[in-house]
Amino acid sequence: QVQLVESGGGLVQTGDSLRLSCAASRRTFTSYAMGWFRQAPGKEREFVATTSWNGGRTNYADSVKGRFTISRDNAKNTVYLQMNSLKPEDTAVYYCAADTSPFYSTETNKYDYWGQGTQVTVAS
């Protein structure tokens, strides 16, 4: 079992930046691909970003490409999502997730463990 705890969400203005963090409870985190997803009210959960087990490969949703950066620090069992140039349409609950395979995926159903989510609200 892996527990994931997100932090760093909040209320910001359009154009601001936020950095989300996700701390994992197990050292085996270092062999897992990790992803960030988000869910806005009335919408399905959608892929945001993902990274392979060592951070060597990443992938992003088109809607965030060039603005968001996913990274990880395996020594700290933590994955980050740096979000720049935030827009109102980025408003959602953001979830981190762990895929027990080392290879990243953009598909929600590939992930085995999920955090509780952190709210990001971008005011216009």
Side-chain angles (χ1 to χ4, degrees), residues 49-101:
T50 183
T51 180
S52 58
W53 68 277
N54 64 352
R57 299 188 67 184
T58 58
N59 196 6
Y60 298 91
D62 288 343
S63 58
V64 306
K65 204 169 290 184
R67 299 189 297 122
F68 290 11
T69 303
I70 188 170
S71 62
R72 64 192 298 162
D73 185 340
N74 284 349
K76 296 182 178 179
N77 286 7
T78 302
V79 64
Y80 305 98
L81 185 68
Q82 177 67 42
M83 305 186 295
N84 298 330
S85 302
L86 283 162
K87 305 175 182 180
E89 50 264 45
D90 295 318
T91 295
V93 177
Y94 283 71
Y95 298 89
C96 81
D99 178 354
T100 54
S101 85

Side-chain angles (χ1 to χ4, degrees), residues 26-41:
R26 288 186 63 176
R27 188 72 183 127
T28 48
F29 158 89
T30 59
S31 64
Y32 297 165
M34 297 294 295
W36 286 97
F37 293 77
R38 66 187 182 186
Q39 188 167 18

